[in-house]
Amino acid sequence: MTIDSVRTFEQVASSKLSSGRNTPKPPPQVWNAVEPPFKGYQPPPVEGYQHSSASTAIVIDNGGSLLRAGWSFDQAPRLSFPANVARYRDRKLNRTCTYVGYDAYADATTRGQIRNAFEPGTSVVGNWDVMENLLDYTFMKLGIDGAHGGVGRPILMTEPVANLGYSRRTMTELLFECYSAPSVAYGIDSLFSYKYNKGSSGLIISSTHTSTHLIPVLKSKPLMSNASRLNWGGFQGAEYLLKLLRLKYPMFPGRLTETQAEVMVREHCYVSQTYDAEMKTYLDWSGLEERDHIVQYPYTEHTVIEKTEEELARIAERKRESGRRLQEQAAKMRLEKLVRKEQELEYYKDRQQRIGAQSKKEARRMLDEDEFKDEVQLDKVIKELEKSIRKARNKDVGGPEDDEEEAEATFPLLDIPDEELDEAGLKQKRHQRLMRSNVEARARAKIEKEQQKARLAEEERLDEERRETDLQGWLEERRAARTALLQKIKDRERLKADLGNRKSLASQMRMKTLASLASDAPGRKRRRGGDDDNFGANDDDWGVYRTVATGDQSEDEEEEDFGAGLKGIEAQLLKYDPSFTEINMMDAQSDWTKSLVHAFLRGPWCFDVESQKEIHQVHLNVERIRIPEVVFQPAIAGLDQAGIIEIAADIINQRLANAQDREDILKDVFLTGGNTMFRGFEERLTSELRAVLPIDSSLTVRQANDPLLDAWKGAAQWSNEPTFAASSVTRDEYREKGPDYIKEHNLGNALAI
């Protein structure tokens, strides 16, 4: 049987009814953490190469997240896989194995050797060995066998905005020299997507895996000199979520991976329309069960064997029978002990009577036989036995209770001078003196107790009079006393925590005390017989052990019950102070249903520290709106850049001088890229962008039909147009003009911006 956590909800006062905290929350909806995205063997679609011709282009969307490839006549890319390569040496086969794309997630060995083709957080190729493996895999999956010494087809590839000259030059050399491509052309993915969605003039907002770009376009020509970039995309969002979760759960037993973070961002995050206001109320108890999303990681729960009702009944009966037998044995032993005591009492009384009738010498011999010093000791033993027998009879046999009050103690020997007493009389006199001291001490304690009770009653009466005459002053005193007690409790807890830290001041003082106890004079050797240690002669010396055990605090503070005093003061404030409610009480503040930290970490449900299932859960609440908000407020993630609203307003209001151009661009604000697919992104952009524009401006915001694939589809569409051949660099031009040569067109980067 799997142990499930038991969720209990504490009943609270009527003042909490409005917040619904005493209402049990429904069972939470749980999302499982994704496994590594291994898709198994995928047969290559070789029929595409057979239907292609020498003019059919190979279209490659070389994105930072996924590499998509296909033929120019395809309606969608045939291949789509991450730009990852894993390579390791198989000792059994004695060969090097290379896994590309999703195959790199086949097992733990390959996952540990994954290398990405791009620089971290960018779309710039940094590992060209990996890039070559990716292209080999792409051409092989497209069915190109390379029988003629190359791919034999034109290549159209996307590149990032303002791509580095070195990166483009190396890619050009790789395609021409390694794959013998007949021609190569480059373009920008967001411009391809805009063209595919029939755009001519507008503002492109492309938020992809690695960055966010804003590119104004007029009459199908991008104004690259006015383009701006925000260094934030899906990759940075996943990294930011990982940082937040690792801070939130520093002792999380599972492993949080980048792939899982990307899925959590994509499936659970959304753009808030009023971020500041929603953030203030996001962890409110009402509706938190809908806002709090739980991601369950793999776990192994402890199991117990469930017993049937018959087995439980037999176990309970055996326990009861065993208890009865033990009780009978105990009663029998007590009865036997009582009989022995009665026999002893009868024997000692008989001996006492016989001793009284004998001579002094014979009496001394009889006392020595029973190992008594004198008749006083014998009489004392007889009285103790009688007292013990009475108690035993009252408890076990049910004998009559002894209501007889003890007679007042007398000490006649104390008035007799020592000269008139023999040795036995002197011993008896010392015993009576000790007994009188005990009686007097009990009498003084009784008197002090009565005086203390009277003093407390008088203080209570004076306090009540003060409350009736000056209620506000009395309440202020109670509030101040409560604050002082809370501070003492905090100081005590802090001291306990400091004692556990060997570098703290309290721990250092404790070690210093121990060192001083070990030796008062470390430089002087003690000689045998010459040690004049007088520790303990003074009662204050023993207080050092309290200092060593609990720190430097007084005995009164140690023994004082702060909790009871605090509860008494809070009870008075709750009764007489209208502004003090049960929510303000210390017990209420420690209740998990009112803890903001508990709502942040575990949502509106009770947390069972013994449940492995709940220990392996991640709660997403404020992170759901915090991650997408960074593109609007980059300062949240420590990014020293303006948000997309400020960038867009600067492009439209400052960089475009022509009013007609601004009007044309505002009529088509185009969103593309996977990072714009958050729920509420378009609505938030529209409302905030309208707020920074002139009041009479016309604004239209639209999203790409497919923000993920429209870039590849637009590139494939353009490769079938005549301008593609004119914009491509042929192999002859490459040999003549070198790898730095490119041809400018309206869908790619420019040489001079």
Side-chain angles (χ1 to χ4, degrees), residues 212 214 230 629-635 639-650:
T212 299
L214 284 81
L230 174 63
E629 184 66 20
V630 177
V631 294
F632 297 95
Q633 302 183 54
L639 202 62
D640 189 16
Q641 285 187 271
I644 58 173
I645 301 300
E646 289 81 358
I647 295 175
D650 180 68

Side-chain angles (χ1 to χ4, degrees), residues 566-579:
L566 182 63
K567 287 183 179 179
I569 294 176
E570 287 182 342
Q572 292 177 340
L573 290 174
L574 190 64
K575 184 177 180 180
Y576 299 106
D577 188 0
S579 62

Side-chain angles (χ1 to χ4, degrees), residues 106-160:
D107 56 24
T109 304
T110 58
R111 289 195 294 270
Q113 302 295 328
I114 287 179
R115 299 293 181 268
N116 194 271
F118 300 95
E119 294 288 343
T122 70
S123 297
V124 179
V125 180
N127 193 327
W128 291 101
D129 290 337
V130 173
M131 191 71 238
E132 185 175 352
N133 288 326
L134 294 175
L135 292 175
D136 289 343
Y137 181 82
T138 300
F139 296 141
M140 180 188 68
K141 287 294 185 178
L142 290 177
I144 301 174
D145 54 6
H148 302 287
V151 296
R153 300 292 186 271
I155 297 177
L156 173 59
M157 183 179 290
T158 62
E159 64 177 1

Side-chain angles (χ1 to χ4, degrees), residues 56 113 225 235 242 258 284 292 369 383 425 456 481 509 531-532 540 558 576 589 618 629 698 706 710:
T56 304
Q113 302 295 328
S225 59
F235 173 83
L242 278 181
E258 291 81 0
D284 286 354
D292 188 84
E369 287 180 358
K383 289 181 179 179
L456 291 176
M509 294 300 296
D531 190 359
D532 56 350
D540 296 337
E558 181 184 12
Y576 299 106
Q589 292 176 1
V618 169
E629 184 66 20
S698 177
D706 191 340
D710 279 359

Side-chain angles (χ1 to χ4, degrees), residues 307-571:
K307 292 181 171 56
T308 61
E309 294 183 359
E310 292 78 6
E311 292 176 341
L312 295 175
R314 286 197 298 269
I315 293 173
E317 182 61 30
R318 284 198 299 267
K319 289 182 178 179
R320 287 193 294 269
E321 183 65 25
S322 177
R324 284 194 295 269
R325 287 198 300 268
L326 291 175
Q327 290 176 357
E328 291 174 357
Q329 292 176 1
K332 183 179 179 181
M333 293 176 63
R334 287 195 299 270
L335 184 59
E336 293 175 352
K337 188 176 181 181
L338 177 61
V339 172
R340 287 196 303 269
K341 287 183 178 180
E342 289 178 345
Q343 293 174 353
E344 290 180 3
L345 178 62
E346 184 178 356
Y347 170 76
Y348 287 138
K349 284 185 176 181
D350 180 65
R351 297 288 287 183
Q352 189 179 35
Q353 292 177 358
R354 292 175 59 187
I355 289 173
Q358 300 294 331
S359 63
K360 188 174 182 180
K361 183 176 180 181
E362 183 65 19
R364 179 75 265 176
R365 185 188 63 80
M366 295 176 67
L367 289 173
D368 292 339
E369 287 180 358
D370 294 328
E371 298 181 351
F372 289 115
K373 294 181 179 180
D374 49 23
E375 295 183 13
V376 176
Q377 186 178 4
L378 176 61
D379 185 64
K380 181 179 179 181
V381 170
I382 291 174
K383 289 181 179 179
E384 290 179 352
L385 283 173
E386 289 177 345
K387 184 178 180 181
S388 176
I389 290 172
R390 283 197 303 270
K391 288 183 178 180
R393 284 176 176 173
N394 293 337
K395 182 177 181 180
D396 294 334
V397 185
E401 294 185 2
D402 189 9
D403 296 333
E404 184 180 330
E405 295 185 1
E406 296 183 1
E408 184 178 356
T410 58
F411 311 102
L413 295 179
L414 297 180
D415 299 330
I416 301 175
D418 294 345
E419 294 79 5
E420 300 178 6
L421 298 175
D422 56 4
E423 184 178 355
L426 291 175
K427 290 183 179 180
Q428 185 67 17
K429 183 177 181 179
R430 286 195 294 269
H431 178 69
Q432 290 184 4
R433 184 182 293 113
L434 180 62
M435 294 296 295
R436 187 179 68 175
S437 300
N438 293 336
V439 171
E440 291 176 353
R442 287 196 295 270
R444 287 195 301 270
K446 184 177 181 180
I447 294 173
E448 290 178 358
K449 187 175 181 180
E450 293 177 354
Q451 292 176 350
Q452 177 71 11
K453 185 184 296 184
R455 185 167 56 253
L456 291 176
E458 181 65 18
E459 290 178 357
E460 185 176 353
R461 185 185 65 80
L462 294 176
D463 185 73
E464 186 175 355
E465 291 181 357
R466 172 71 189 282
R467 176 176 53 80
E468 292 175 354
T469 56
D470 186 10
L471 180 60
Q472 292 301 323
W474 182 84
L475 290 177
E476 289 297 331
E477 291 179 358
R478 288 295 177 269
R479 296 190 189 105
R482 179 177 179 272
T483 304
L485 281 178
L486 288 175
Q487 186 61 39
K488 288 182 179 179
I489 293 174
K490 291 180 181 179
D491 293 341
R492 185 170 60 183
E493 296 298 328
R494 183 170 60 252
L495 180 60
K496 290 181 180 180
D498 289 343
L499 287 175
N501 181 12
R502 63 184 181 87
K503 295 184 178 180
S504 64
L505 179 60
S507 183
Q508 292 176 1
M509 294 300 296
R510 179 175 179 270
M511 295 304 299
K512 185 177 180 180
T513 303
L514 289 174
S516 63
L517 286 175
S519 176
D520 292 335
R524 178 173 58 87
K525 293 184 179 180
R526 296 184 178 180
R527 298 179 181 178
R528 180 176 300 178
D531 190 359
D532 56 350
D533 185 11
N534 58 357
F535 178 84
N538 188 354
D539 292 339
D540 296 337
D541 294 343
W542 302 101
V544 70
Y545 291 105
R546 188 183 309 108
T547 303
V548 172
T550 60
D552 189 12
Q553 57 180 347
S554 66
E555 184 177 359
D556 295 337
E557 291 178 348
E558 181 184 12
E559 295 179 354
E560 188 176 0
D561 189 0
F562 296 141
L566 182 63
K567 287 183 179 179
I569 294 176
E570 287 182 342

Side-chain angles (χ1 to χ4, degrees), residues 477-746:
E477 291 179 358
R478 288 295 177 269
R479 296 190 189 105
R482 179 177 179 272
T483 304
L485 281 178
L486 288 175
Q487 186 61 39
K488 288 182 179 179
I489 293 174
K490 291 180 181 179
D491 293 341
R492 185 170 60 183
E493 296 298 328
R494 183 170 60 252
L495 180 60
K496 290 181 180 180
D498 289 343
L499 287 175
N501 181 12
R502 63 184 181 87
K503 295 184 178 180
S504 64
L505 179 60
S507 183
Q508 292 176 1
M509 294 300 296
R510 179 175 179 270
M511 295 304 299
K512 185 177 180 180
T513 303
L514 289 174
S516 63
L517 286 175
S519 176
D520 292 335
R524 178 173 58 87
K525 293 184 179 180
R526 296 184 178 180
R527 298 179 181 178
R528 180 176 300 178
D531 190 359
D532 56 350
D533 185 11
N534 58 357
F535 178 84
N538 188 354
D539 292 339
D540 296 337
D541 294 343
W542 302 101
V544 70
Y545 291 105
R546 188 183 309 108
T547 303
V548 172
T550 60
D552 189 12
Q553 57 180 347
S554 66
E555 184 177 359
D556 295 337
E557 291 178 348
E558 181 184 12
E559 295 179 354
E560 188 176 0
D561 189 0
F562 296 141
L566 182 63
K567 287 183 179 179
I569 294 176
E570 287 182 342
Q572 292 177 340
L573 290 174
L574 190 64
K575 184 177 180 180
Y576 299 106
D577 188 0
S579 62
F580 189 85
T581 62
E582 292 187 0
I583 300 178
N584 303 117
M585 297 180 67
M586 185 178 179
D587 292 341
Q589 292 176 1
S590 60
D591 186 5
W592 66 268
T593 60
K594 305 171 189 64
S595 173
L596 188 65
V597 175
H598 181 92
F600 176 62
L601 295 176
R602 303 299 173 184
W605 297 281
C606 179
F607 176 64
D608 183 7
V609 295
E610 301 295 334
S611 173
Q612 291 296 319
K613 176 181 178 181
E614 298 188 19
I615 292 175
H616 286 77
Q617 287 179 350
V618 169
H619 290 252
L620 300 177
N621 34 62
V622 296
E623 297 86 4
R624 297 180 60 203
I625 62 174
R626 188 172 186 177
I627 303 301
E629 184 66 20
V630 177
V631 294
F632 297 95
Q633 302 183 54
I636 292 177
L639 202 62
D640 189 16
Q641 285 187 271
I644 58 173
I645 301 300
E646 289 81 358
I647 295 175
D650 180 68
I651 292 175
I652 297 171
N653 297 330
Q654 303 297 330
R655 304 185 191 181
L656 298 178
N658 193 335
Q660 184 60 40
D661 294 343
R662 291 198 295 268
E663 184 178 349
D664 293 341
I665 285 180
L666 288 175
K667 289 181 180 179
D668 189 14
V669 177
F670 179 74
L671 306 179
T672 186
N675 211 38
T676 64
M677 298 177 66
F678 291 115
R679 174 168 54 90
F681 189 93
E682 183 176 345
E683 293 79 2
R684 171 75 177 276
L685 181 71
T686 303
S687 62
E688 293 207 0
L689 191 57
R690 192 181 298 277
V692 298
L693 296 175
I695 193 171
D696 57 346
S697 300
S698 177
L699 176 64
T700 302
V701 179
R702 66 186 178 109
Q703 193 174 47
N705 295 329
D706 191 340
L708 297 176
L709 298 181
D710 279 359
W712 186 92
K713 294 177 180 179
Q717 182 187 64
W718 182 67
S719 65
N720 294 318
E721 297 179 2
T723 54
F724 167 67
S727 303
S728 300
V729 177
T730 64
R731 185 173 181 80
D732 294 336
E733 291 173 335
Y734 164 75
R735 290 176 176 175
E736 178 183 355
K737 300 178 181 179
D740 291 322
Y741 176 69
I742 65 170
K743 293 182 179 180
E744 296 186 13
H745 54 88
N746 290 339

Side-chain angles (χ1 to χ4, degrees), residues 182-341:
S183 64
V184 175
Y186 301 100
I188 299 174
D189 52 358
S190 58
L191 296 177
F192 284 135
S193 178
Y194 188 57
K195 176 179 173 58
Y196 184 77
N197 285 271
K198 299 178 174 55
S200 60
S201 295
L203 178 64
I204 301 175
I205 300 179
S206 173
S207 186
T208 59
H209 183 66
T210 57
S211 60
T212 299
H213 288 92
L214 284 81
I215 306 174
V217 179
L218 285 175
K219 298 178 182 179
S220 301
K221 181 175 179 59
L223 305 180
M224 302 304 294
S225 59
N226 293 328
S228 294
R229 177 177 64 205
L230 174 63
N231 296 325
W232 189 268
F235 173 83
Q236 289 82 2
E239 288 289 323
Y240 186 45
L241 177 61
L242 278 181
K243 292 180 181 178
L244 294 179
L245 292 180
R246 286 165 181 165
L247 287 173
K248 189 174 184 178
Y249 303 102
M251 304 300 292
F252 188 72
R255 183 173 181 267
L256 305 172
T257 64
E258 291 81 0
T259 304
Q260 293 168 342
E262 291 177 5
V263 174
M264 284 189 279
V265 170
R266 184 169 60 249
E267 293 184 354
H268 300 283
C269 293
Y270 66 95
V271 175
S272 173
Q273 304 303 311
T274 55
Y275 175 77
D276 294 335
E278 186 171 357
M279 181 61 76
K280 293 178 181 179
T281 60
Y282 206 91
L283 295 176
D284 286 354
W285 193 262
S286 178
L288 183 57
E289 68 276 7
E290 298 177 358
R291 297 188 296 270
D292 188 84
H293 286 195
I294 301 176
V295 180
Q296 181 69 63
Y297 276 74
Y299 68 97
T300 302
E301 188 65 276
H302 299 296
T303 58
V304 295
I305 300 175
E306 184 179 7
K307 292 181 171 56
T308 61
E309 294 183 359
E310 292 78 6
E311 292 176 341
L312 295 175
R314 286 197 298 269
I315 293 173
E317 182 61 30
R318 284 198 299 267
K319 289 182 178 179
R320 287 193 294 269
E321 183 65 25
S322 177
R324 284 194 295 269
R325 287 198 300 268
L326 291 175
Q327 290 176 357
E328 291 174 357
Q329 292 176 1
K332 183 179 179 181
M333 293 176 63
R334 287 195 299 270
L335 184 59
E336 293 175 352
K337 188 176 181 181
L338 177 61
V339 172
R340 287 196 303 269
K341 287 183 178 180

